């Protein structure tokens, strides 16, 4: 598949500190790609290098097929919502939106029309003529989101887009991000919110201490890292004769909703378990092989490597 | 529209369509007119008043009477002035002094004047008054001087009227011979001071605005979004040109206001402000001379230089307080030509002026001053301009580098060490 972003052995070093080490990533077009990792893992630095905001010390960047450090025109087709946000406080909301859209090469009139549409979509239609400073923090955040996507970019970098928003607005942005993806936009989503990433992302990369510890198609990753647990729902709420299975089942534990969590003795024991269920004519309503949650993958991979102390590496020169 | 145009327009609009801009455009000239006119008008509006003066006469006969005769005893014809009611006391000072001082304190009289016995031979004359420094004291001094001098002349057998005729002052006039012709110095001098001050004021005001704008983009992280759309060097250029555009609008507004003021002063000349005849015409002529071109050229270069440097300072600091620590580095060269105007006026082509002409940071304010005084050869002005423009381009390049690194390095405060690092990294 054609990739929207390819990073190859990307490297960034600040004084006495490696912020990003030999990072290689491929972000397929039309996907929502989660860039995950603890504070100081190098996510923001990676995004800034990908956008040529920061000069890289090594490696290559192909952004929509071009190196943005050499071909800045390519950045017109990209949107970027930084983690620390800011707008011109004394400008009117519509003016600030049109300003950023024009910088991306949009026609003034078209930009204005698009800005009005986005304000409508984000529930701020009556705020266009107000000054930015009159808006609440959450409203400003939504305006900034609109600024990021107003010019219909092919690739969008969203750094913690929902942090600080209430649940309703988080849900609104989640819907909008889904809509963007459905329209063919590639989204790189940097976040700490594992539930959100799991819900939205088709691909993820987990970074820790500037290095990639896991990446790929999320469904495939879950399959690869699946557990030996199944969840079983029976119609009559009966207790199956687990003892018949002997050593094939390590543990069978009832859940509050009447279902059972069954831990099989081995990963390949599932066919035998299914055959046993059929043989006993147990009234199976639903059976689910439990895949690991993204949070579990994250914790298992990042574990104790999370950086907690010291200067934010991406703030150094 | 190009990205440079978009940046320029935003910077320009943000300034020009603000209440602060409107107020500063209207109020700044009014403030300067107020500061300049109030002292003049205040002395004019002192009004008419009578002063009671006691003369303690120990002088040879006739002197005290001559003094009294030379002081006006009737109200003057104009709207202001002093006239005197005099009393003469023929007793020694020691006997009357305490009593007269008490009368002054009680405001029964305004002053008393002692003419000593040796006044004609150069002995003392003393005035006691509540306000011994005013116009009235000056009139009394002139009257005593004239009375004593006439007394001496008469005693020597010389006709005072003849002496006055012979010693009448000459009409001394100073004219400056310039490349364009001959002119009086007043309007050129006024123009030199005015233009230099306006240039200083605009450069500082708009330089500060460029600094604040860059600071806002740095601290609000707007710069990071902008960096994905426009090169920092273009952002800096757009900012500086936008600020310059706002300054041009303000200058235009001030020129229009100045034109109206000219017409008003012309109409009211003599009755409101003491404008000598021909002054306005010569001022107009001075404004239209070729030196205006030089002034505009240096003004432009100076403006670009300082706006760029101030923007670079803003891009490397988070707060006005932080910027303040480095502010003097830019403020000092800007203010030097202003502070040294007095010394430069004494010899506008002297060594000090020569040195400052070749310093790129002081030339933009100094050379227009020298041009207004016609104290710099055209060739030297052109060479100084070329050198300054070259140096400005170099400095702007360095400032652009600092700006590019600084604006994205939030959390890093400006220190000499960081500055060196950023320059190396640029």
């Amino acid at each position: 598949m054609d990739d929207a972003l390819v990073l190859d052995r990307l490297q960034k070093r600040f004084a006495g500190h490696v912020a990003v080490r030999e990072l290689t990533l491929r972000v397929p077009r039309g996907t929502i790609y989660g860039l995950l990792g603890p504070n100081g893992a190098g996510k923001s630095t990676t995004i800034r290098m990908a956008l040529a905001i920061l000069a890289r010390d090594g490696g290559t960047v192909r952004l929509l097929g071009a190196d943005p450090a050499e071909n800045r025109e390519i950045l017109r087709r990209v949107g970027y919502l930084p983690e620390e946000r800011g707008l011109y406080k004394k400008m009117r909301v519509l003016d600030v939106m049109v300003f950023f859209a024009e910088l991306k090469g949009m026609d003034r009139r078209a930009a204005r029309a698009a800005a009005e549409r986005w304000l409508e979509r984000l529930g701020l239609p009556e705020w266009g003529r107000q000054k930015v400073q009159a808006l609440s923090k959450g409203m400003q955040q939504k305006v900034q989101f609109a600024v990021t996507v107003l010019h219909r970019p092919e690739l969008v970098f969203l750094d913690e887009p929902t942090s600080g928003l209430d649940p309703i607005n988080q849900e609104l942005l989640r819907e909008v991000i889904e809509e963007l993806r459905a329209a063919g936009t590639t989204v790189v989503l940097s976040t700490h919110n594992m539930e959100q990433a799991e819900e939205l992302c088709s691909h993820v990369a987990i970074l820790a201490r500037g290095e990639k510890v896991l990446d790929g198609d999320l469904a495939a990753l879950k399959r690869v890292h699946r557990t030996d647990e199944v969840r079983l729902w029976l119609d009559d709420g009966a207790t199956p004769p687990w003892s018949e299975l002997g050593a094939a089942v390590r543990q069978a534990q009832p859940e509050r909703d009447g279902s059972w969590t069954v831990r099989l003795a081995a990963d390949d024991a599932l066919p035998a378990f299914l055959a046993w269920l059929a043989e006993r004519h147990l009234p199976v309503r639903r059976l689910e092989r439990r895949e690991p949650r993204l949070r579990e993958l994250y914790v298992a991979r990042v574990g104790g490597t999370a950086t907690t102390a010291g200067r934010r590496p991406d703030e150094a020169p | 529209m190009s990205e440079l145009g978009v940046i320029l327009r935003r910077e320009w609009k943000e300034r020009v369509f603000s209440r602060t801009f409107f107020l500063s455009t209207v109020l700044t000239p009014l403030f300067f007119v107020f500061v300049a006119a109030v002292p003049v008008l205040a002395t004019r509006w002192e009004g008419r008043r009578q002063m009671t003066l006691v003369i303690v006469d120990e002088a040879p006969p006739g002197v005290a009477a001559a003094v009294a005769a030379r002081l006006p005893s009737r109200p003057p014809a104009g709207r202001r002035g002093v006239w005197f009611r005099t009393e003469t006391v023929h007793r020694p000072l020691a006997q009357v002094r305490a009593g007269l001082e008490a009368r002054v304190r009680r405001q029964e009289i305004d002053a008393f004047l002692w003419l000593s016995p040796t006044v004609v031979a150069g002995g003392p004359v003393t005035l006691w008054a509540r306000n011994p420094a005013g116009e009235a004291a000056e009139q009394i001094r002139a009257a005593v001087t004239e009375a004593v001098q006439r007394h001496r002349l008469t005693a020597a057998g010389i006709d005072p009227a003849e002496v006055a005729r012979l010693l009448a002052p000459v009409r001394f006039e100073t004219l400056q011979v310039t490349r364009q012709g001959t002119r009086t110095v007043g309007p050129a001098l006024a123009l030199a001071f005015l233009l230099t001050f306006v240039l200083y004021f605009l450069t500082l005001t708009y330089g500060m605005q460029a600094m604040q704008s860059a600071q806002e983009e740095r601290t609000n992280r707007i710069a990071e979004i902008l960096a994905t759309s426009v090169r920092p060097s273009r952002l800096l250029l757009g900012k500086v040109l936008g600020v310059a555009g706002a300054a041009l609008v303000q200058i235009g507004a001030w020129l229009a206001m100045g034109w109206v003021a000219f017409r008003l002063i012309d109409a009211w000349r003599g009755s409101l402000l003491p404008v000598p005849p021909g002054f306005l015409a010569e001022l107009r002529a001075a404004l239209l001379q070729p030196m205006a071109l030089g002034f505009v050229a240096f003004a432009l270069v100076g403006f670009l230089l300082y706006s760029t440097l101030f923007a670079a300072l803003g891009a490397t600091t988070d707060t006005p307080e932080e910027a303040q620590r480095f502010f003097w580095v830019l403020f000092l060269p800007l203010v030097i030509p202003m502070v040294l105007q007095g010394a430069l006026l004494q010899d506008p082509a002297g060594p000090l002026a020569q040195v400052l002409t070749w310093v790129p940071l002081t030339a933009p304010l100094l050379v227009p001053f020298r041009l207004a005084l016609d104290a710099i050869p055209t060739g030297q002005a052109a060479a100084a301009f070329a050198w300054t423009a070259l140096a400005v381009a170099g400095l702007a390049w360095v400032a652009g580098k600092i700006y590019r690194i600084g604006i994205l390095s939030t959390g890093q405060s400006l220190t000499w060490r960081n500055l060196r690092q950023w320059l190396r990294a640029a």
Side-chain angles (χ1 to χ4, degrees), chain B residues 1 3 16 35 45 49 74 108 127 144 154 177 185 216 238 261 275 284 288 291 316 322 338 399 404:
Chain B
M1 187 182 277
E3 57 199 30
V16 173
V35 166
W45 291 338
R49 65 191 178 93
R74 287 181 189 167
E108 290 171 11
L127 178 73
V144 172
T154 307
V177 181
V185 184
E216 182 193 14
V275 181
R284 269 194 215 105
L288 298 173
M291 81 91 197
T316 48
E322 205 183 316
M338 298 294 298
R404 187 170 73 81

Side-chain angles (χ1 to χ4, degrees), chain B residues 260-338:
Chain B
V260 173
F262 264 130
R263 303 297 296 249
L264 292 177
I265 292 170
D266 246 348
W268 295 340
R269 188 173 54 218
S271 62
L272 184 64
L273 287 170
V275 181
F279 183 89
L280 292 177
E282 289 194 35
L283 194 59
R284 269 194 215 105
L287 266 172
L288 298 173
Q289 278 177 6
M291 81 91 197
L293 181 68
F295 174 81
V296 170
F298 271 97
L300 197 64
V301 164
F303 196 86
L304 291 178
L305 170 67
Y306 277 98
S307 298
T308 307
L309 291 174
F310 274 114
L313 180 61
T316 48
T317 50
D318 288 321
T319 60
E321 294 72 28
E322 205 183 316
Q324 208 68 37
R325 287 192 289 130
F326 283 81
F327 186 75
W328 63 270
V329 179
L330 302 182
F331 182 68
L332 205 59
L334 187 61
V335 84
I336 279 176
M338 298 294 298

Side-chain angles (χ1 to χ4, degrees), chain B residues 199-209 310 327 331 334:
Chain B
L199 196 52
Y200 161 79
F201 179 77
L202 287 175
T203 305
L204 190 62
T205 307
Y206 283 96
M208 295 281 285
Q209 288 193 18
F310 274 114
F327 186 75
F331 182 68
L334 187 61

Side-chain angles (χ1 to χ4, degrees), chain A residues 48 51-53 69-70 72-73 75-76 80 82-91 95 99-100 102-104 108 144 147 311-312 314-317, chain B residues 1-4 6-7 9-11 13-14 213 216-217 220-222 224-232 235 239 405 408-412 421-422:
Chain A
R48 287 178 190 156
L51 292 168
I53 297 171
E70 290 167 5
R72 294 190 64 85
E73 279 295 306
L75 290 170
R76 289 195 161 197
Y80 173 42
E83 183 182 6
E84 289 176 68
R85 290 174 259 277
L87 294 166
Y88 294 106
K89 305 272 183 220
K90 289 180 183 167
M91 282 179 83
D95 290 343
F99 167 72
F100 281 109
E102 278 192 288
L103 281 181
K104 291 289 188 184
R108 191 170 173 73
Q144 186 130 28
V147 162
R311 175 182 63 192
R312 277 181 60 106
D314 47 329
E315 287 184 350
Chain B
M1 187 182 277
S2 71
E3 57 199 30
L4 182 67
V6 175
I7 298 278
R9 189 181 57 199
R10 195 202 78 78
E11 293 289 341
K13 272 181 76 175
E14 180 164 301
S213 170
E216 182 193 14
E217 282 163 1
N220 284 353
R221 294 280 192 156
I222 300 168
E224 202 160 300
I225 309 169
L226 290 171
T228 63
S229 305
V230 55
R231 285 182 189 280
L235 176 60
K239 186 179 299 298
I405 302 278
L408 297 169
S409 299
T410 46
Q412 294 259 307
Q421 263 186 11
W422 294 343

